[in-house]
Amino acid sequence: MTYKTILLVIDANQYETDLRAAADLCAAANAHLSVLLVKVAAPPQLGDYAALSVAWLDIRAAEIEQLDKAVEASRTTLKDHGISSDVAGEYTETAWDDDLVGERARYADVTLIGTSMDPSLRTRAIEGALFYSARPVLLATHRQSVTLLPKRILLAWNSSFESTRAAREALYMMRNAESVNVVLVDPTAAPRSNGDEPGADVATYLARHGIKVTVDRLPSAGRRVEEVLNQHALDTAADLIVMGAYGHSRLREKVFGGVTKAMIEAPIVPVLMIR
């Protein structure tokens, strides 16, 4: 599908770099940029109840004022860029920020997560969009700029529901790319998973959509799957990795780790994820 509405979720404490990058992204793709500035409320401090009440209210009032200023500054920046846009601010408690992002993400084609957010807020924003919006998430990186018109795409494939949805979501991008590498790590030939020739079925499906496909079956050689994917993305000069997210439960990923968790924490090239 084409992406006409991009939701950018940014931290009200540090947002200028991500905002300008998203504005350039939308200008290049002729897309509308919807900005959600999030300010997470400071938790109450321990102490005398009466003194605490006054001090805490003062802190919250200052935080809301900071958020309002960030919203106005963002509107001015986007007006200068001359793109279609809207900006909103949300002052929220930690327990609700993932739901908040998920609700807003339902009305966008993709949620863009920048590089300058507080790490805990960034993780909750990503999970909110993935679990509560049925929309993809696009992760930016410090290493290279993100684009909605990638020339070289790496599709991580393991025959799961999640990777199937990711492939379907990225069809338009892949159709307009110069090359697509379908990557399988340590694939096994089995009729009910990868088929007798791993990667052949999905390559045929993509080729029927006019996509230029190469199937790469890669050994892990003792490395983690995310390391193999990231290295191959660098080797093929990929502009984007497309992958399914959370093939295992979120709790299992947090406790034991997993490919999704690793790619969220340290993406090497921009990543498009969908659950």
Side-chain angles (χ1 to χ4, degrees):
M1 66 176 293
T2 57
Y3 293 153
K4 290 301 182 183
T5 302
I6 313 302
L7 173 65
L8 172 67
V9 181
I10 44 180
D11 189 334
N13 294 330
Q14 42 191 2
Y15 60 88
E16 292 90 349
T17 300
D18 289 334
L19 182 66
R20 293 181 184 280
D24 292 340
L25 171 75
C26 290
N30 192 27
H32 177 87
L33 178 60
S34 183
V35 178
L36 178 62
L37 281 148
V38 179
K39 179 67 177 178
V40 180
Q45 300 174 354
L46 299 177
D48 176 72
Y49 181 77
L52 169 63
S53 297
V54 174
W56 189 37
L57 289 174
D58 288 343
I59 291 172
R60 292 173 76 92
E63 289 177 336
I64 293 171
E65 182 180 2
Q66 180 193 11
L67 175 61
D68 290 341
K69 289 180 178 178
V71 169
E72 289 306 314
S74 297
R75 287 174 178 159
T76 300
T77 296
L78 295 178
K79 184 178 180 180
D80 292 341
H81 272 74
I83 64 170
S84 174
S85 64
D86 66 87
V87 182
E90 288 286 352
Y91 186 65
T92 182
E93 307 294 336
T94 300
W96 302 331
D97 49 12
D98 55 350
D99 288 311
L100 173 68
V101 171
E103 289 170 5
R104 289 294 302 268
R106 294 168 199 163
Y107 306 103
D109 294 313
V110 64
T111 298
L112 174 61
I113 304 294
T115 60
S116 302
M117 297 177 72
D118 171 81
S120 59
L121 175 58
R122 179 178 177 274
T123 298
R124 294 193 302 274
I126 293 169
E127 293 185 349
L130 286 174
F131 282 88
Y132 304 133
S133 76
R135 296 289 192 270
V137 170
L138 183 58
L139 305 180
T141 72
H142 293 287
R143 188 185 186 98
Q144 67 186 72
S145 58
V146 65
T147 176
L148 296 175
L149 304 168
K151 294 182 179 180
R152 292 169 293 278
I153 297 175
L154 186 155
L155 172 63
W157 183 256
N158 62 1
S159 301
S160 66
F161 289 133
E162 293 78 15
S163 62
T164 301
R165 284 192 286 266
R168 181 67 184 84
E169 177 66 35
L171 274 180
Y172 178 82
M173 283 184 174
M174 292 191 288
R175 190 182 299 123
N176 289 280
E178 294 177 359
S179 63
V180 174
N181 290 76
V182 176
V183 178
L184 301 89
V185 180
D186 292 336
T188 56
R192 298 207 171 195
S193 57
N194 291 313
D196 294 331
E197 186 179 350
D201 291 340
V202 67
T204 300
Y205 166 74
L206 296 177
R208 290 188 182 123
H209 283 274
I211 296 169
K212 307 173 188 67
V213 186
T214 300
V215 176
D216 298 325
R217 305 180 189 96
L218 305 178
S220 62
R223 296 172 296 169
R224 295 191 298 272
V225 172
E226 63 271 16
E227 292 176 348
V228 178
L229 294 175
N230 281 326
Q231 185 58 56
H232 201 60
L234 294 177
D235 292 343
T236 58
D239 301 306
L240 182 71
I241 294 176
V242 175
M243 61 178 287
Y246 288 110
H248 300 297
S249 72
R250 196 166 16 166
L251 177 60
R252 178 176 174 179
E253 289 262 353
K254 286 184 176 180
V255 174
F256 299 106
V259 178
T260 304
K261 180 175 181 290
M263 297 298 276
I264 286 175
E265 290 179 347
I268 300 299
V269 301
V271 180
L272 182 73
M273 286 185 173
I274 191 165
R275 182 175 177 272

